[in-house]
Amino acid sequence: MYLESLDLTDFRNYEALRLSLGAGRFIVAGDNAQGKSNLCEAIRMLATMRSFRAGTDRELVRWGSAGHFARIASDIARVDGTLRLEIIISAPPSAEDPLASAAGLWAGEQGSRDEVGGMGAGLPPMPPAPPSRVAAGKRIKVNGAARRAIDCVGLVTVVLFEPADLDLVIGSPSGRRHFMDVTLCQISRSYCRALSHYQRVLTQRSALLRRIRDNQDDPRALDYWDGQLAALAVPIIIERAGLVTRCMPTADQVALKLGGRGLRLEYQPSYAVDAELPPATAVAAFTEKLASLRRREIAQGVNLLGPHRDDLAFMEGPVNLAVYGSRGQQRGAALALKLAELEAIEIETGDQPILVLDDVLSELDPTRRAALLESVGEISQVILTTAEPESIPRAFAASARWLNVRDGEIG
Amino acid sequence: MQTTAAAVTALIEEFAKLPGIGPKTAQRLTFFLLRSPADQTRRLADAIIRMKEQVITCSTCFNITETDPCPICASPQRDHGLICVVEEPLDVLAIEKTDTFRGVYHVLNGALSPMEGIGPKDLRIAELVARVQHSSGEVREVILATNPNYEGDYTAAYIAPLLRPLNVTLTRLARGLPLGGDLEYADEGTLSRALEGRRAFEG
């Protein structure tokens, strides 16, 4: 799959970008702080509906934009046809701001309807929210029709490789869980849904654990949440284990090519589920395990068991690279995992993801750089950003279209 | 310098506190009232005050009412052996609109949510249990009609074991497809629940 076009309006430092793309390789060159990573962020948002950098959506809207909204729009060519995807991020100024009501979008259209509503007999209905007033949040359209965000995750699949990913092996476990989640959400809608429900259950359950600890609630109230947690955790764990197994051969191959002695990925769930068991049995076993931990969970006021405590280890033979690997080996393993992710998504969805390489080339040594560029040979769209154009091998540089980015404009 | 009359500003501020009303709507409502006839404005003011002074909660079902017990609880036409447990008074309104339910209600005043610090003591759960207990067997069935989300389900799951020993039938509202809807527009969660809850066809 590839993006045919990408339009950004008031997104980060892009006021009005109209970019025509297509299949092939693109090198986005420019100095730091000109908008390279913002471009990558926009592309990745098309896949995940969420930013990987921004704390709040408000940050995505260009400072000083007149309309208080940002827009990402793209025509996407998929194996099964093209579609147009639009994400509109609204960030109205805060309520105290006198300009808050200046949106004025709905002031006219409601007009005289108020008088008609009147104070009729019986209980009046709840007043509806003002129709088209700019509310904080996101709206998503596919081919012009509004859709829910969760239904649009994975319409575009993107594998993003950025400098922070080089620390995947030695970084915190949450980074490795995030890797599994982002990959699986693009592949499976049911995973995405289970994960968002799981977050909700975790929040309620940890609040309940603390309430019980403080004698505000009855421990038996946990029975319900244990059941919900187990029912969501089991499929998440099974999907993650499956992903790691599918990534293994490619990751191993790439690692060998990089001159190592191969790579073995080891999924380390906080609770291992036997995939052979019927789901109901696995859920029952998980629930039982929770019951055995109940006293400790209450004492600590924390959810101790479940996918939110999982990890992923990178092994070369018996050696854990996070502990004993060299810096080069650790970066190589991260690279191998990313390329394996690419293949896993392609196999599962039947369509090749877009590969976005955000400023990572200069971070890799020449061997790994060559291995990376060699493996992107058959990918339908590669978007690579760099602040050092001279670091790009000549053959690749010659085969790509160059885009120069400067202060939110691309020429 | 005060450019707008203080009384006007005060009313704008009061309106702006209401849900769904922003500063602009508050202004428009205020100026609408300013221009409307005095008796109309007085009727509105009276209606608000009367609502606040006369509306109480029914001591049996905790629905909002002007009389205690409320007309539903007092009615001999209603089936007092069938209690429908809901979260909010608005839910009573919704079910009453169906015109098919002949039982009585019990309004919990919310749903359990540990996250928001809402525990069993904050809801009318003990009152429900006492009500069933003291009915000396009159209550046959309790419908747990809390919302079909985690908090509503949790609330139902919390209440069920408290009522079960009292020898009543416990039911939960069916969940599934809305009438007049299209299958293709139903979200996956609803559709899979509808599949699970399918029934023998007696057409």
Side-chain angles (χ1 to χ4, degrees):
Chain A
M1 99 174 35
Y2 56 88
L3 306 184
E4 285 178 345
S5 68
L6 179 68
D7 296 350
L8 301 179
T9 309
D10 287 332
F11 181 86
R12 295 277 190 186
N13 69 331
Y14 291 96
E15 188 175 348
L17 177 74
R18 305 279 171 270
L19 205 54
S20 148
L21 297 164
R25 299 164 173 182
F26 296 85
I27 297 171
V28 182
D31 291 337
N32 288 323
Q34 300 301 312
K36 299 191 300 293
S37 292
N38 295 347
L39 193 73
C40 298
E41 182 182 27
I43 295 172
R44 163 80 149 222
M45 266 191 88
L46 289 169
T48 58
M49 302 295 139
R50 271 162 81 165
S51 162
F52 59 95
R53 295 196 304 175
T56 65
D57 284 342
R58 192 177 288 271
E59 293 171 32
L60 301 172
V61 180
R62 191 177 63 90
W63 183 251
S65 81
H68 305 296
F69 70 88
R71 183 166 164 276
I72 308 171
S74 177
D75 293 301
I76 297 129
R78 292 165 33 117
V79 276
D80 55 2
T82 61
L83 63 86
R84 181 165 181 80
L85 187 58
E86 281 172 86
I87 304 175
I88 297 136
I89 304 131
S90 317
S94 51
E96 300 81 53
D97 189 337
L99 285 173
S101 52
L105 280 166
W106 58 284
E109 61 187 81
Q110 247 193 346
S112 57
R113 221 178 297 163
D114 290 4
E115 286 105 86
V116 182
M119 293 281 157
L123 271 167
M126 285 290 275
S132 47
R133 180 147 173 244
V134 184
K138 243 178 320 223
R139 279 181 301 146
I140 290 140
K141 288 182 188 175
V142 177
N143 292 332
R147 296 273 292 270
R148 294 184 308 168
I150 196 160
D151 293 332
C152 300
V153 173
L155 283 179
V156 182
T157 53
V158 169
V159 171
L160 170 74
F161 194 24
E162 53 165 348
D165 290 325
L166 292 165
D167 293 331
L168 203 63
V169 177
I170 50 166
S172 74
S174 69
R176 294 183 284 276
R177 287 192 293 269
H178 184 69
F179 162 79
M180 296 190 274
D181 289 342
V182 168
T183 309
L184 284 165
C185 279
Q186 294 186 63
I187 293 174
S188 155
R189 196 159 298 167
S190 64
Y191 184 89
C192 200
R193 195 168 342 109
L195 194 66
S196 87
H197 283 258
Y198 183 72
Q199 287 304 337
R200 175 107 191 146
V201 170
L202 279 186
T203 316
Q204 286 287 23
R205 192 170 180 275
S206 69
L208 182 61
L209 286 168
R210 287 192 300 275
R211 281 177 64 91
I212 295 169
R213 184 189 58 194
D214 303 340
N215 291 319
Q216 291 171 306
D217 236 316
D218 186 334
R220 278 173 299 181
L222 275 170
D223 292 350
Y224 171 79
W225 296 107
D226 286 6
Q228 302 296 325
L229 184 87
L232 292 164
V234 165
I236 291 174
I237 295 167
I238 291 174
E239 291 270 357
R240 283 183 177 177
L243 173 74
V244 173
T245 310
R246 282 191 306 261
C247 282
M248 209 103 85
T250 317
D252 187 39
Q253 239 170 29
V254 175
L256 282 172
K257 232 189 279 179
L258 292 175
R261 277 165 298 170
L263 176 65
R264 189 163 49 82
L265 301 170
E266 203 176 279
Y267 176 45
Q268 300 176 328
S270 84
Y271 175 84
V273 173
D274 183 354
E276 304 292 308
L277 286 178
T281 317
V283 171
F286 192 104
T287 316
E288 228 167 88
K289 179 76 182 171
L290 279 175
S292 74
L293 283 173
R294 185 167 285 192
R295 196 173 302 176
R296 256 179 64 205
E297 286 193 296
I298 292 171
Q300 299 186 28
V302 175
N303 293 301
L304 289 175
L305 194 69
H308 64 292
R309 313 269 288 199
D310 287 358
D311 203 352
L312 178 64
F314 297 75
M315 313 292 289
E316 191 182 275
V319 177
N320 186 332
L321 289 180
V323 187
Y324 299 106
S326 71
R327 192 84 184 100
Q329 282 175 309
Q330 290 163 348
R331 291 179 158 213
L335 175 59
L337 185 66
K338 278 287 163 180
L339 295 174
E341 175 190 6
L342 198 84
E343 186 151 308
I345 295 180
E346 182 180 355
I347 292 171
E348 286 303 309
T349 63
D351 204 345
Q352 220 167 30
I354 296 159
L355 179 62
V356 179
L357 301 167
D358 188 14
D359 211 13
V360 282
L361 228 45
S362 54
E363 305 271 340
L364 296 170
D365 61 46
T367 326
R368 300 199 166 87
R369 201 181 296 171
L372 174 58
L373 293 180
E374 189 192 319
S375 57
V376 307
E378 305 121 47
I379 297 166
S380 51
Q381 191 174 46
V382 181
I383 295 165
L384 180 155
T385 76
T386 183
E388 301 166 23
E390 62 282 359
S391 71
I392 295 171
R394 203 166 299 152
F396 186 88
S399 69
R401 220 180 100 195
W402 286 73
L403 303 165
N404 293 308
V405 55
R406 197 159 166 268
D407 200 15
E409 285 180 27
I410 292 184
Chain B
M1 189 183 70
Q2 182 97 27
T3 53
T4 318
V8 170
T9 320
L11 186 56
I12 294 175
E13 277 169 14
E14 290 307 315
F15 273 133
K17 289 177 192 164
L18 301 178
I21 308 258
K24 198 83 178 177
T25 319
Q27 279 178 28
R28 290 180 53 238
L29 291 174
T30 304
F31 282 95
F32 172 78
L33 291 175
L34 198 61
R35 284 193 301 265
S36 53
D39 63 321
Q40 186 184 337
T41 319
R42 189 171 305 278
R43 275 205 303 278
L44 173 62
D46 284 347
I48 293 172
I49 290 166
R50 212 170 57 231
M51 179 270 289
K52 210 53 203 173
E53 282 174 352
Q54 298 181 5
V55 169
I56 50 173
T57 53
C58 170
S59 60
T60 308
C61 71
F62 302 99
N63 193 12
I64 47 170
T65 171
E66 285 188 7
T67 57
D68 190 12
C70 71
I72 295 176
C73 286
S75 166
Q77 317 290 320
R78 311 285 298 213
D79 178 355
H80 292 259
L82 177 61
I83 299 180
C84 181
V85 179
V86 295
E87 292 180 15
E88 304 286 349
L90 273 176
D91 301 331
V92 172
L93 214 66
I95 295 177
E96 278 301 288
K97 264 200 249 165
T98 65
D99 226 0
T100 51
F101 181 67
R102 304 308 306 158
V104 291
Y105 295 93
H106 189 91
V107 180
L108 291 173
N109 196 29
L112 293 173
S113 176
M115 198 167 83
E116 293 161 277
I118 302 173
K121 289 187 187 70
D122 301 305
L123 305 181
R124 310 280 192 188
I125 292 177
E127 288 86 343
L128 172 66
V129 176
R131 186 175 165 190
V132 175
Q133 227 158 17
H134 297 148
S135 81
S136 47
E138 192 195 349
V139 177
R140 308 177 314 274
E141 178 179 347
V142 174
I143 307 171
L144 298 168
T146 48
N147 288 335
N149 51 30
Y150 279 117
E151 292 72 28
D153 275 345
Y154 170 44
T155 309
Y158 185 91
I159 295 173
L162 304 177
L163 293 180
R164 209 160 274 135
L166 303 179
N167 200 21
V168 285
T169 306
L170 295 177
T171 53
R172 189 101 174 85
L173 291 185
R175 46 189 71 185
L177 297 169
L179 286 181
D182 277 348
L183 277 194
E184 58 169 322
Y185 292 124
D187 70 283
E188 300 93 329
T190 306
L191 204 48
S192 53
R193 286 302 189 103
L195 274 171
E196 283 166 25
R198 67 187 186 276
R199 286 207 232 161
F201 186 56
E202 289 148 7

